[in-house]
């Protein structure tokens, strides 16, 4: 396959960025989108140019590092996959593909397509944890958990923190991410100790970081590679209103 | 800051205000539509004038009207503030956005649709509310409110403006009705499909009835 790429190049957070056009030839349709970038970068390095910076790690859809905004959609055109799982067979030879970084005030650009997502870490640090006592783990059966809650918590816990929800949202809102992190703990007995303060603090941190307010467009859910449901945002809203009314 | 102001100025709090005021405006629309639909009885505006007079003189309604005004103002101010602050959350825009792949255009255009509604609202209040409340055209018995309506809608320009206003309302509500429940945390596999159907029905039916009024008057079906 031969493709024409329009890639956002930006030296660092403070410099002006611009699109650069690259023509890549001989791409196999079995390559992943990132492997196609590896081919391009190898060539750029050989030509003495600086390679395109992009985040990646596991390359199997579980770490949440890869983050490319491809032809107007985070993680590209396919549903339920990350950029590393997107294969070139989803494109046609001769296509022009526009690749941008996640764009949000709360995700400053580090270089080219790599953005700083530490705002997510600070949201988690604000309350996305449980107090665990030291000592032996207790018998799992001593903590009865309704099957529905276990399933919902598990589905929320599937969030890999990639930030595609923020990238997709017209308001750059982090509510799908934050709500998944609040939900996975609020639904389980282990999460009850910090439940009230968790909702208050994580929402407050989310606002401090400069993410927008949700308009319920559903773009996040549609673009999330892990299919995190909007039900989590409704749950976060309940958790938050309940928390501010009951906390001391 | 007290916990109340802190909550209401958080992103979730601002959203809650939108949802609660939005739903009160929906309740108002229902009453407004019910009363105006009296013109379809085609009795020369007799029932409609009586209903309008009752609304104008009933103490409970007059007190509620103050709440309604406050609701409108809060919804509009909060909506425009959210719109502005949300837009600022992405200082550098994308070159390519494939919005239709993940959401409906009207859910992404609530600020625009709301602003169109605001323009319509100013024209609409000028046509009827200002005339009935701040002039003595109606109270002096010079004209009835129904006569005022027939006069306004004899002209095609207001008719077109009103129909456009109703279309904006329909799309604003098509997203807003169900969105308000989600914002209030009401998302449940048993009730959400029901809320969505009722919301879609309301959003189409009510603006349709409203739009039928100027059209029917212009075409002389109601006199
Ligand atoms: C009869 C008139 C109106 C009704 C019934 C109405 C109703 C609603 C409802 C139910 C919502 C959804 C709330 C939510 O998502 O939680 C909403 C949202 C919104 N409304 Fe209105 N509205 C009206 C007029 C206006 C006007 C005049 C504006 C003026 C600017 C406006 C601006 C907005 C905006 C920007 C939103 C989206 C807010 C967000 O989701 O963050 N609306 N409206
Ligand atoms: S909710 Fe989905 S899109 Fe958002 S960070 Fe988690 S996995 Fe990524
Ligand atoms: S590189 Fe780990 S999810 Fe894509």
């Amino acid at each position: 396959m031969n493709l024409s790429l329009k890639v956002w190049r930006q030296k660092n957070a403070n410099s002006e960025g611009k699109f650069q056009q690259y023509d890549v030839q001989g791409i196999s349709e079995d390559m992943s989108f990132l492997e196609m970038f590896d081919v391009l970068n190898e060539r750029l390095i050989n030509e003495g140019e600086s390679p395109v910076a992009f985040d990646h790690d596991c390359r199997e859809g579980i770490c949440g590092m890869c983050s490319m905004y491809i032809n107007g959609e985070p993680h590209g055109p396919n549903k339920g996959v990350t950029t590393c799982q997107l294969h070139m067979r989803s494109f046609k030879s001769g296509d022009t593909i526009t690749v941008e970084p996640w764009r949000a005030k709360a995700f400053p650009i580090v270089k080219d397509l790599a953005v700083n997502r530490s705002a997510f870490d600070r949201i988690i640090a604000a309350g996305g944890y449980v107090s665990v006592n030291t000592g032996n783990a207790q018998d799992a059966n001593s903590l009865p958990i309704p099957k529905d809650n276990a399933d919902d918590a598990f589905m929320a816990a599937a969030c890999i923190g990639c930030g595609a929800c923020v990238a997709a949202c017209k308001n750059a809102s982090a509510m799908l991410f934050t709500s998944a992190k609040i939900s996975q703990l609020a639904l389980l007995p282990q999460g009850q100790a910090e439940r009230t303060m968790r909702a208050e603090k994580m929402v407050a941190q989310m606002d401090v970081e400069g993410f927008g307010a949700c308009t319920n467009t559903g773009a996040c859910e549609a673009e999330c590679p892990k299919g995190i449901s909007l039900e989590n945002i409704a749950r976060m809203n309940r958790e938050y209103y309940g928390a501010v009314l009951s906390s001391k | 800051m007290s916990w109340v102001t802190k909550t209401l100025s958080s992103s979730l709090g601002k959203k809650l205000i939108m949802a609660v005021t939005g739903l009160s405006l929906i309740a108002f629309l229902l009453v407004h539509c019910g009363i105006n639909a009296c013109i379809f009885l085609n009795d020369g505006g007799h029932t409609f004038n009586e209903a309008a007079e009752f609304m104008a003189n009933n103490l409970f309604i007059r007190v509620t009207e103050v709440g309604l005004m406050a609701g409108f103002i809060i919804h509009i101010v909060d909506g425009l503030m959210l719109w502005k602050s949300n837009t600022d959350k992405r200082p550098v825009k994308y070159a390519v956005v494939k919005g239709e792949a993940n959401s409906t255009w009207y859910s992404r255009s609530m600020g625009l649709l709301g602003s169109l509604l605001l323009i319509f609202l100013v024209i609409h209040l000028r046509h009827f509310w200002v005339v009935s409340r701040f002039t003595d055209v109606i109270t002096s018995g010079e004209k009835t409110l129904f006569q005022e309506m027939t006069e306004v809608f004899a002209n095609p320009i207001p008719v077109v403006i009103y129909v456009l206003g109703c279309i904006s309302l329909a799309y604003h509500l098509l997203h807003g009705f169900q969105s308000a429940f989600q914002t209030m945390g009401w998302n449940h596999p048993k009730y959400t499909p029901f809320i969505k159907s009722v919301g879609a029905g309301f959003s189409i039916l009510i603006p349709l009835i409203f739009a039928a009024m100027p059209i029917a008057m212009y075409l002389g079906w109601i006199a």
Side-chain angles (χ1 to χ4, degrees):
Chain A
M1 300 173 78
N2 300 329
L3 298 155
S4 191
L5 301 177
K6 270 179 74 186
V7 183
W8 186 259
R9 302 298 313 255
Q10 183 170 336
K11 227 187 194 94
N12 55 47
N14 303 319
S15 58
E16 288 257 327
K18 63 169 182 356
F19 282 103
Q20 180 93 41
Q21 176 133 355
Y22 299 103
D23 293 318
V24 285
Q25 275 103 27
I27 298 295
S28 149
E29 57 180 25
D30 295 329
M31 280 182 184
S32 76
F33 205 78
L34 298 185
E35 284 164 338
M36 187 256 308
F37 264 85
D38 292 338
V39 171
L40 170 67
N41 276 347
E42 206 153 10
R43 191 186 90 199
L44 291 177
I45 291 168
N46 287 338
E47 289 168 357
E49 280 186 54
S50 92
V52 180
F54 62 89
D55 273 322
H56 63 109
D57 189 13
C58 70
R59 297 210 177 193
E60 54 184 8
I62 54 171
C63 75
M65 276 309 280
C66 56
S67 47
M68 291 186 188
Y69 194 86
I70 302 157
N71 280 347
E73 283 183 87
H75 296 307
N78 296 354
K79 296 289 159 215
V81 295
T82 52
T83 304
C84 59
Q85 296 171 298
L86 173 65
H87 288 87
M88 297 318 293
R89 52 182 167 270
S90 301
F91 299 89
K92 289 192 311 288
S93 192
D95 277 358
T96 298
I97 308 175
T98 307
V99 189
E100 300 175 72
W102 284 178
R103 293 201 188 279
K105 193 173 146 202
F107 286 163
I109 290 181
V110 178
K111 186 176 187 325
D112 302 334
L113 303 175
V115 298
N116 183 341
R117 283 167 284 180
S118 54
F120 271 10
D121 301 339
R122 290 188 291 273
I123 293 175
I124 302 254
Y129 51 79
V130 292
S131 307
V132 180
N133 296 325
T134 52
N136 289 339
Q138 57 177 316
D139 185 88
N141 292 324
S142 66
L143 281 177
I145 303 173
K147 175 80 165 69
D148 282 348
N149 287 7
D151 288 348
D152 287 349
F154 190 79
M155 286 193 287
C159 165
I160 52 176
C162 63
C165 42
V166 175
C169 176
K170 76 172 188 63
N171 310 319
S173 167
M175 291 208 187
L176 194 64
F177 165 79
T178 309
S179 69
K181 300 300 172 193
I182 289 178
S183 291
Q184 66 182 13
L185 300 175
L187 285 163
L188 297 177
Q190 293 90 337
Q192 299 312 303
E194 294 90 356
R195 186 167 172 185
T196 317
M197 81 74 174
R198 175 181 305 120
E200 274 190 277
K201 291 204 167 157
M202 289 178 76
V203 169
Q205 190 64 33
M206 178 178 82
D207 289 351
V208 167
E209 297 294 347
F211 292 105
C214 175
T215 315
N216 302 324
T217 65
C220 53
E221 180 188 58
E223 298 291 359
C224 171
K226 299 294 153 185
I228 302 294
S229 157
L230 286 182
E231 280 176 38
N232 292 296
I233 298 188
R235 184 180 298 102
M236 171 176 74
N237 296 350
R238 294 197 296 274
E239 289 286 317
Y240 180 74
Y241 306 143
V244 292
L245 287 174
S246 64
S247 68
K248 289 186 182 151
Chain B
M1 235 193 311
S2 87
W3 68 272
V4 180
T5 34
K6 204 167 120 195
T7 304
L8 294 183
S9 53
S10 72
S11 57
L12 261 57
K14 288 191 198 127
K15 282 290 306 172
L16 184 63
I17 294 174
M18 285 314 282
V20 171
T21 52
L23 285 178
S24 350
L25 296 182
I26 283 176
F28 150 73
L29 277 182
L30 200 60
V31 176
H32 186 18
C33 186
I35 288 181
N36 284 30
C38 291
I39 65 163
F40 292 119
L41 293 174
N42 221 347
D43 58 358
H46 180 72
T47 316
F48 168 72
N49 283 332
E50 268 184 6
E53 202 177 306
F54 169 79
M55 296 300 273
N57 297 321
N58 185 294
L59 184 67
F60 173 75
I61 300 291
R62 295 306 296 268
V63 173
T64 320
E65 193 182 24
V66 177
L68 173 69
M69 275 297 145
F72 257 116
I73 293 169
I74 295 170
H75 186 83
I76 293 167
V77 172
D78 192 35
L80 291 176
M81 275 167 43
L82 273 168
W83 187 22
K84 171 80 176 73
S85 82
N86 281 339
T87 311
D88 292 346
K89 297 301 188 294
R90 178 163 292 134
V92 183
K93 307 292 169 210
Y94 290 113
V96 184
V97 179
K98 212 168 158 210
E100 73 281 5
N102 53 40
S103 49
T104 57
W105 70 268
Y106 47 90
S107 74
R108 283 177 272 123
S109 315
M110 291 299 275
L112 175 71
L113 291 166
S115 303
L116 291 177
L117 279 175
L118 182 58
I119 296 170
F120 166 75
L121 212 57
V122 172
I123 299 173
H124 177 49
L125 289 180
R126 174 69 194 82
H127 274 154
F128 300 110
W129 189 65
V130 172
V131 170
S132 74
R133 285 293 148 75
F134 302 103
T135 69
D136 56 3
V137 175
I138 309 286
T139 38
S140 68
E142 187 190 324
K143 270 191 258 174
T144 64
L145 198 57
F146 180 77
Q147 280 169 328
E148 183 67 25
M149 266 175 101
T150 48
E151 279 173 30
V152 169
F153 296 135
N155 186 334
I157 296 169
V159 176
V160 171
I161 292 176
Y162 275 65
V163 170
L164 292 177
C166 290
I167 294 173
S168 310
L169 180 65
Y171 279 110
H172 195 72
L173 292 182
L174 215 46
H175 179 65
F177 193 106
Q178 52 84 32
S179 170
F181 287 88
Q182 164 80 3
T183 299
M184 293 191 304
W186 207 355
N187 184 327
H188 190 282
K190 268 190 189 144
Y191 311 110
T192 301
F194 175 70
I195 291 171
K196 286 193 173 167
S197 319
V198 172
F202 185 95
S203 315
I204 295 166
L205 195 64
I206 299 288
L208 206 60
I209 297 174
F210 272 126
M213 296 172 193
I215 295 176
M217 285 190 154
Y218 180 70
L219 297 177
W221 294 345
I222 294 173

